[in-house]
Amino acid sequence: MCLCPQLSDQMVELFDACQQKTSDLERKEACRARLQKDIQSIYAVARLYLTGSSMNGLGCRSSDADLCLVLKGNVSISDSVLLYVEMTQLIRAKVPILKFKEKDSDLEFDLNINNTVGIRNTFLLRSYAYADLRIRPMILVVKKWARHHQINDASKGTLSSYTLVLMVLHYLQTLKEPVLPSLQRDYPDCFYPFMDIDMVPEGPKRVPPYISRNQSPLGELLLGFLKYYATDFRWDKQVISVREAKALPKDNSVTWRNKYISVEEPFERNNVARAVHEKIKFDAIKAEFAQSWRILQDKKDLNSILPVGAII
Ligand code: ATP
Ligand code: MG
């Protein structure tokens, strides 16, 4: 067993330097409130929620702000938001996304309409993020590592940040001595999938910290994470389920058949890793896990897989 004190310290240092600051969140929140007020002058019942890493405790200073506009009835994007913001891009995906920037700043927004599962999973992830002090640094380092190795971009056929977060949580849930439980299993009332959306942000407030018998330092967890996906996880046979805190056997349904990577959305149970649909990208992802595990095991220095100086 390697306690890797230097590696653990480097991870905490990177987390301290890169994590979202209170002032970053306040700026996003001010923009959300202003926009909500504008939209409510037309749609009085409209609500605008900040989601994603800005809200779930897993954000960096450079993270964009994800927004979900909750509107009742049939409203098209052109009927509503376009009147109020300067659009930079409209992504016509399964869940259309409107991209825009705050005027005269570098603050970027990604807005969807009525994709309320994003609100539910944001507050589920937030509960995991704060369940143990090691979770937030661990996930931030993994996101930075994946971004550096160019395997963190769903629009280019690799892993979304959301997929990466679920992969880390799964690893921590399935250790012999788990670092995390299934919060949906242990606190079903806090994460009831059909809870009124206004009540969802209350859920995490009722979840106490998890006291794990596993007190492995961060460096050991990072090495274990890389090793798990480099050598243990069966990509062709297993589905990652954070909802059940285990790997489920892949069945032959359309959701999982012929998918390179299978990661279950904790509420909707579809595959959040469906962007990885080319073998070449899948191979590149696996190769990064294998190579980084080998290097880090040898060097025990975060800089060997992620040039910390360049990132901070
Ligand atoms: P980053 O800091 O890189 O912006 P992020 O945590 O905001 O990371 P994204 O992958 O940008 O992660 O996703 C933003 C949010 O959108 C997620 O937190 C989640 O709430 C929601 N989301 C993303 N992908 C899916 C999906 N496939 N199904 C349901 N919700 C999703
Ligand atoms: Mg985001």
Side-chain angles (χ1 to χ4, degrees):
M1 192 172 70
C2 136
L3 293 175
C4 318
Q6 176 191 315
L7 180 54
S8 301
D9 290 350
Q10 289 172 321
M11 292 173 71
V12 171
E13 218 170 281
L14 184 62
F15 171 67
D16 286 342
C18 296
Q19 67 164 315
Q20 177 177 260
K21 303 263 178 288
T22 308
S23 56
D24 302 328
L25 179 58
E26 284 170 353
R27 209 168 122 214
K28 291 173 181 175
E29 171 50 29
C31 213
R32 182 210 65 82
R34 207 168 60 225
L35 200 56
Q36 177 175 268
K37 194 161 160 266
D38 278 354
I39 294 169
Q40 283 177 340
S41 69
I42 299 270
Y43 297 103
V45 292
R47 292 286 303 272
L48 196 56
Y49 290 84
L50 204 46
T51 64
S53 64
S54 314
M55 265 321 265
N56 66 19
L58 304 169
C60 308
R61 298 219 64 186
S62 57
S63 293
D64 65 356
D66 299 289
L67 290 170
C68 175
L69 176 61
V70 180
L71 291 171
K72 304 219 166 71
N74 258 342
V75 189
S76 74
I77 285 182
S78 57
D79 282 344
S80 52
V81 203
L82 292 190
L83 298 174
Y84 303 95
V85 294
E86 211 176 322
M87 182 177 82
T88 54
Q89 196 187 358
L90 178 62
I91 300 178
R92 296 176 188 278
K94 190 171 162 215
V95 176
I97 305 253
L98 179 72
K99 284 184 171 289
F100 59 93
K101 278 178 78 162
E102 189 186 43
K103 267 191 186 156
D104 306 321
S105 92
D106 52 1
L107 184 51
E108 292 180 358
F109 288 86
D110 269 11
L111 181 142
N112 72 69
I113 296 183
N114 287 346
N115 188 36
T116 49
V117 70
I119 304 173
R120 297 184 197 283
N121 61 35
T122 289
F123 286 93
L124 175 66
L125 260 47
R126 187 180 171 86
S127 302
Y128 280 115
Y130 288 99
D132 182 290
L133 276 176
R134 292 166 291 180
I135 312 301
R136 295 170 66 225
M138 172 81 182
I139 290 177
L140 185 138
V141 169
V142 168
K143 275 166 67 170
K144 291 284 181 195
W145 163 79
R147 175 82 37 117
H148 177 72
H149 291 276
Q150 298 175 349
I151 57 166
N152 173 209
D153 190 345
S155 71
K156 295 194 174 128
T158 59
L159 303 164
S160 68
S161 295
Y162 183 51
T163 304
L164 273 165
V165 172
L166 293 173
M167 287 171 68
V168 177
L169 296 179
H170 167 74
Y171 162 70
L172 297 171
Q173 286 175 326
T174 53
L175 284 161
K176 209 172 280 162
E177 201 62 83
V179 171
L180 288 171
S182 159
L183 292 180
Q184 284 168 288
R185 182 190 57 208
D186 291 358
Y187 302 97
D189 295 346
C190 300
F191 304 107
Y192 173 61
F194 304 106
M195 188 189 291
D196 192 281
I197 214 71
D198 293 340
M199 297 306 296
V200 167
E202 297 303 310
K205 295 183 188 157
R206 290 179 276 137
V207 178
Y210 181 68
I211 314 289
S212 170
R213 276 200 294 263
N214 182 333
Q215 287 304 315
S216 300
L218 275 169
E220 206 172 299
L221 294 176
L222 179 62
L223 265 169
F225 167 78
L226 295 171
K227 176 176 188 285
Y228 178 71
Y229 288 106
T231 66
D232 303 339
F233 185 72
R234 297 296 307 270
W235 304 91
D236 54 338
K237 296 208 160 45
Q238 296 182 311
V239 176
I240 289 173
S241 173
V242 167
R243 176 179 58 91
E244 294 212 29
K246 62 182 179 201
L248 302 173
K250 229 183 225 199
D251 64 29
N252 208 24
S253 64
V254 204
T255 311
W256 310 120
R257 197 192 316 145
N258 301 329
K259 302 297 184 301
Y260 292 117
I261 304 185
S262 300
V263 181
E264 182 195 69
E265 206 296 316
F267 292 98
E268 293 193 328
R269 305 193 191 180
N270 51 26
N271 186 12
V272 306
R274 57 186 174 270
V276 186
H277 57 84
E278 288 174 73
K279 179 145 191 328
I280 193 167
K281 300 285 168 70
F282 174 50
D283 288 342
I285 292 167
K286 284 191 301 181
E288 284 306 340
F289 276 99
Q291 198 186 8
S292 290
W293 173 54
R294 255 194 334 266
I295 295 173
L296 194 61
Q297 200 183 18
D298 178 33
K299 306 272 190 235
K300 310 280 186 318
D301 177 352
L302 191 56
N303 287 290
S304 65
I305 58 163
L306 181 62
V308 178
I311 283 162
I312 296 176

